[in-house]
């Protein structure tokens, strides 16, 4: 059996539940192969306060030498001490520095994948740093065309557009962009998930998938022609399908992934089905990145009530994607 690769983990916003989740890592069987990129003292203090003290050790410690309560850490210093539940703009740079280190480590091969904890977009922007999300930030660092996909047992949902206001969605769905997203979906499902012929079901943008052009022309003028062209190349595509019927069991039984046109068209269904067990996966990047499906949960920070289900799912998925990609 090949050796298990090291995976980077960024806990994210220090005032949120990300540092709390480090205490739960003691229960994950692959903990010795994880490297948290964070402030060691933050991890030590927060987990000690929760009654499950994690002891940070050097990032280059061999996995076989990590103690039972140890966690390998690549150190990044907080700007100021962090209090659970209390955001501070001064620590926004710390959050982004950790992400930069993690991305660079993945690019050099030091880490086989990156698992990200939740960040708080608002406080980063309040610090004067333009930030729309992990996905876009990482793409600026490592290149590629990011495609956001969430997965839980029984369902995968990818997005043609990500963090856009609703009024901007239609203009963003161009033939070039849609074709690029579908090609990335097909390629990454083959190369990283090991699916020989991915079956992709594509939602329409408008109600009833445009009703033949009477409720919108995007399906007729953009989505349909792109699907016809790529199907002729041999891709297994279905659509445009009305979004209000695509998530029915008969349709899902014939698909490996649903491609939604915008964020809130597909993700409410997935999160209803699998919240706490779902994983955010960024396709289209030269690195592997997975993430939890929840936010910073400031009201839970430091309480000991954080749920580690999504974190463990993100870690397991990252290790599996790294394993399949290494074949």
């Amino acid at each position: 059996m090949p050796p298990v690769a090291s995976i980077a983990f960024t806990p994210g916003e220090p005032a949120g539940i990300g540092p709390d989740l480090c205490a739960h890592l003691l229960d994950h069987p692959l903990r010795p192969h994880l490297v948290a990129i964070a402030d060691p003292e933050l991890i030590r203090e927060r987990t000690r306060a929760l009654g499950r003290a994690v002891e940070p050790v050097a990032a280059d410690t061999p996995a076989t030498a990590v103690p039972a309560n140890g966690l390998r850490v690549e150190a990044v210093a907080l700007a100021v001490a962090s209090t659970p539940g209390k955001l501070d703009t001064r620590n926004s740079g710390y959050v982004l520095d950790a992400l930069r280190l993690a991305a660079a480590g993945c690019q050099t091969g030091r880490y086989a994948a990156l698992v990200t904890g939740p960040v708080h977009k608002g406080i980063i922007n309040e610090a004067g740093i333009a930030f729309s999300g992990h996905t876009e930030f990482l793409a600026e660092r490592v290149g590629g065309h990011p495609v956001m996909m969430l997965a839980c047992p029984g369902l995968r949902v990818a997005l043609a557009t990500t963090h856009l206001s609703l009024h901007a969605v239609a203009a963003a769905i161009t033939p070039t962009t849609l074709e690029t997203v579908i090609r990335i979906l097909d390629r990454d499902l083959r190369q990283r998930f090991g699916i020989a012929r991915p079956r992709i079901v594509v939602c329409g943008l408008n109600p009833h998938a445009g009703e033949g052009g009477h409720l919108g022309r995007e399906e007729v003028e953009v989505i349909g022609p792109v699907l016809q062209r790529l199907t002729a190349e041999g891709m297994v595509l279905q659509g445009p399908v009305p979004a209000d019927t695509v998530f029915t069991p008969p349709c899902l039984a014939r698909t490996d992934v649903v491609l939604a046109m915008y964020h809130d068209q597909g993700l409410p269904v997935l999160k209803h089905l699998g919240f706490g067990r779902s994983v955010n996966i960024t396709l289209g990047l030269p690195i592997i990145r997975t993430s939890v499906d929840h936010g910073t949960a400031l009201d839970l920070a430091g309480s000991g009530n954080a749920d580690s289900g999504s974190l463990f799912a993100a870690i397991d998925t990252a290790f599996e994607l790294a394993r399949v990609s290494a074949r």
Side-chain angles (χ1 to χ4, degrees), residues 12 132 199 245:
S132 57
R199 301 166 299 172
T245 60

Side-chain angles (χ1 to χ4, degrees), residues 297-317:
L298 295 170
D299 57 325
L300 295 179
S303 70
N305 294 322
D307 187 333
S308 61
S310 182
L311 174 64
F312 280 22
I315 291 170
D316 292 342
T317 300

Side-chain angles (χ1 to χ4, degrees), residues 268-292:
V269 179
L270 183 135
K271 291 194 176 186
H272 173 72
L273 177 65
F275 191 75
R277 300 174 298 149
S278 58
V279 181
N280 186 348
I281 305 162
T282 305
L283 307 178
L285 301 180
I287 67 172
I288 294 170
R289 179 255 174 165
T290 68
S291 182
V292 296

Side-chain angles (χ1 to χ4, degrees), residues 73-144:
V73 176
E74 183 172 350
V76 184
L78 284 167
V80 294
S82 180
T83 301
K86 296 188 181 299
L87 297 169
D88 193 319
T89 56
R90 292 173 292 180
N91 280 326
S92 294
Y94 157 83
V95 173
L96 299 184
D97 284 345
L99 286 173
R100 291 187 186 98
L101 276 176
C106 289
Q107 285 181 295
T108 62
R110 179 175 186 178
Y111 304 121
L114 166 62
V115 177
T116 57
V119 297
H120 194 287
K121 299 182 183 71
I123 199 65
I124 295 174
N125 281 280
E126 287 178 24
I129 305 168
F131 182 83
S132 57
H134 274 117
T135 304
E136 296 83 358
F137 182 86
L138 291 171
E140 289 178 3
R141 299 286 158 315
V142 303

